[in-house]
Amino acid sequence: MEGDYSSFTRDSSDDHSQRGSVASSATLSRAQDVLVYICGDSAVHLAVEGLGSVSVQELGRSVREALHIPDSAQDVFAFWLCSPLLELQLKARHQPYKLCRQWQDLLYRFTEASEEDISQDEPCLQYRRNVFYPKTKELQIYDEGVLRLLYEEARGNILSGRYPCDPEHWTGLGALSLALDEGTDLDRQKLSTTIREKKLSSFLPAHVAMGSGGLLSTLRGKSSRQTGLEQNLMEEYRKISTPAGSSPEPTQLLHQYLNTCHTLPYYGCAFFFGEIDKPVQGILQRVKRKAVNVGICLEGVYVMDVKEKHVLLGLHFNELSWDHSYPEEQGDSHILWLEFDGDEDGTPVNKLLKIYSKQAELMSGFIEFCVELRSASEGGAAAEMDGELSPSQQPAGQDGSNKNGRGGRRGMLRRQSSVVCSRVHSLNTISYVDNGKEIKRLKPKRAASFFTRQPSASTYSAVQVTEGLEQG
């Protein structure tokens, strides 16, 4: 990213604010204060010389030294520029100071934020998990400090609802957090007191702990619901707790927490903001949109409902084609197009999902980079990782042994009760054929792939064009 750079600004009256991670000064050649935030509401305070030209790689050495992170774990984490409006992982050659100077330009380009919000937004510099670090390598980490950093980030994503999970997941994870915070030897009375003093929201996702629905329904059911949640949390904790003198080591609990998070296919994703069309309920109803988070990682793409906290669509890279389009006229949107196998009245068709987002270009480039990384390691760890996915990691209804047609077709996605599984039935998608001129809707018929952007070694197989297709 290139642009016109000047100096940072910082609100010196609020040292604890995320605004102003990097201090401002008229002279950047002398040592300047830099705050690098890490997950868990803490920060590393550095004095950096030549702030205007310091790179991520140089900052990394200072942060690893301050956090006592061994050189063997230097690839686990990366620097991010983050605000409520945009999150960007930086490359080793990037210079945070210069990127912060063009932050408003980036917001205008990649967000729908108002001019007022953009003028008030300021990024913080964060040190957190590298999205390109394979999950399998995390299992080989035994340094408690590194595991703690990974744990704090995962815990934050669980509690905020960014990682949707089922009751058996968030209850077990909450119990592990309780054990890590308070130890494993609390008796029943002390355990109950601790949970109530710290509040359920310290251990369970906010939307679970706070409940949903109207004010009256919340007030009426709050007591009994919270009692039930507390009881479930205590039961899970008692499974972890052990007699005095034989408590599990912290690294064991940290590994257990991260291993559970690894069963969530979107663990470690980079997240982008977008909207999709809601299914039309009636002929005269206007098409409305719903907010979604789009998670992209080395394994695939996951579209999640921001409000309902569940997965709408999850696809591995060998199960999709993609592209992005720019607005053609005033008022049009940037769009990320995802194409995948579908079904209409028992007939296999191709489906298109439109994700409206000014970050569509970022998402498309990110997918392409992940595909290239996987292709480069196809014969090694990446191939092994695909072959060992647990059932909870497989998008619903997919079976690698189900192959027929050109290159092998995957099984159809189907409805599931788990928040982790795809809900294709709730998506407003397009089924189509491509006749070389335009996209035509199906009733339903078979189609060829509309997009050429596919993984080179993909097993994704577009539906074949047939003669005499009926136009919708």
Side-chain angles (χ1 to χ4, degrees), residues 278-312:
K278 290 183 176 181
V280 178
Q281 301 297 323
I283 298 177
L284 300 179
Q285 185 183 15
R286 295 180 60 186
V287 176
K288 298 181 179 179
R289 296 179 183 177
K290 70 166 63 179
V292 295
N293 281 332
V294 182
I296 304 174
C297 62
L298 290 174
E299 282 77 40
V301 181
Y302 302 89
V303 182
M304 288 166 270
D305 191 311
V306 170
K307 181 180 179 182
E308 300 298 332
K309 310 296 183 187
H310 60 218
V311 174
L312 296 169

Side-chain angles (χ1 to χ4, degrees), residues 388-410:
E388 295 180 355
L389 286 176
S390 65
S392 60
Q393 287 176 292
Q394 294 276 12
Q398 293 178 18
D399 183 355
S401 63
N402 183 5
K403 294 185 178 181
N404 59 65
R406 187 179 60 185
R409 285 184 57 81
R410 67 183 188 280

Side-chain angles (χ1 to χ4, degrees), residues 50-320:
L51 180 60
S53 59
V54 70
S55 68
V56 161
Q57 188 172 18
E58 294 167 308
L59 275 179
R61 286 192 289 267
S62 299
V63 171
R64 289 195 299 274
E65 181 179 344
L67 295 175
H68 306 292
I69 295 175
D71 289 341
S72 60
Q74 63 179 328
D75 294 332
V76 178
F77 302 102
F79 284 93
W80 294 67
L81 279 181
C82 301
S83 80
L85 301 181
L86 185 63
E87 299 181 3
L88 297 174
Q89 178 173 315
L90 308 185
K91 297 179 181 179
R93 61 177 173 79
H94 280 146
Q95 297 172 338
Y97 175 87
K98 293 184 177 181
L99 289 179
C100 283
R101 286 300 304 152
Q102 57 175 323
W103 189 250
Q104 288 192 4
D105 294 335
L106 295 172
L107 295 181
Y108 278 114
R109 181 177 178 183
F110 295 121
T111 77
E112 301 283 357
S114 66
E115 191 168 334
E116 181 181 0
D117 287 341
I118 288 176
S119 66
Q120 296 177 358
D121 190 71
E122 191 173 336
C124 67
L125 187 61
Q126 293 187 356
Y127 190 68
R128 66 191 218 201
R129 191 185 188 280
N130 177 5
V131 72
F132 302 116
Y133 192 76
K135 289 189 289 187
T136 51
K137 288 190 175 181
E138 280 191 10
L139 304 178
Q140 303 167 21
I141 297 173
Y142 290 93
D143 183 277
E144 185 176 343
V146 175
L147 292 173
R148 282 274 179 186
L149 291 175
L150 292 170
Y151 157 75
E152 290 291 352
E153 181 174 347
R155 180 185 184 181
N157 286 327
I158 292 291
L159 296 182
S160 67
R162 174 169 272 193
Y163 291 168
C165 54
D166 294 314
E168 61 269 25
H169 283 133
W170 46 251
T171 305
L173 292 172
L176 286 168
S177 290
L178 186 53
L180 283 163
D181 290 351
E182 306 296 330
T184 59
D185 57 353
L186 297 180
D187 59 35
R188 185 179 183 85
Q189 182 60 44
K190 196 169 183 180
L191 177 59
S192 179
T193 301
T194 300
I195 292 174
R196 292 182 181 180
E197 285 179 350
K198 288 202 166 186
K199 297 184 179 180
L200 281 170
S201 57
S202 298
F203 307 106
L204 303 179
H207 66 282
V208 173
M210 303 302 294
S212 57
L215 177 61
L216 291 177
S217 62
T218 300
L219 292 175
R220 288 170 185 163
K222 183 176 182 180
S223 178
S224 60
R225 179 174 50 80
Q226 289 206 332
T227 299
L229 291 172
E230 289 175 7
Q231 291 298 324
N232 292 338
L233 188 58
M234 291 170 67
E235 288 178 13
E236 287 296 321
Y237 175 84
R238 283 195 289 271
K239 295 178 184 177
I240 301 170
S241 61
T242 56
S246 60
S247 298
E249 294 292 329
T251 52
Q252 292 178 272
L253 298 175
L254 292 167
H255 269 141
Q256 193 173 343
Y257 193 100
L258 293 173
N259 284 342
T260 302
C261 288
H262 286 185
T263 66
L264 305 174
Y266 30 80
Y267 171 80
C269 278
F271 287 90
F272 304 85
F273 304 114
E275 292 181 323
I276 61 173
D277 291 323
K278 290 183 176 181
V280 178
Q281 301 297 323
I283 298 177
L284 300 179
Q285 185 183 15
R286 295 180 60 186
V287 176
K288 298 181 179 179
R289 296 179 183 177
K290 70 166 63 179
V292 295
N293 281 332
V294 182
I296 304 174
C297 62
L298 290 174
E299 282 77 40
V301 181
Y302 302 89
V303 182
M304 288 166 270
D305 191 311
V306 170
K307 181 180 179 182
E308 300 298 332
K309 310 296 183 187
H310 60 218
V311 174
L312 296 169
L313 181 66
L315 297 169
H316 289 167
F317 291 127
N318 61 353
E319 299 164 340
L320 62 85

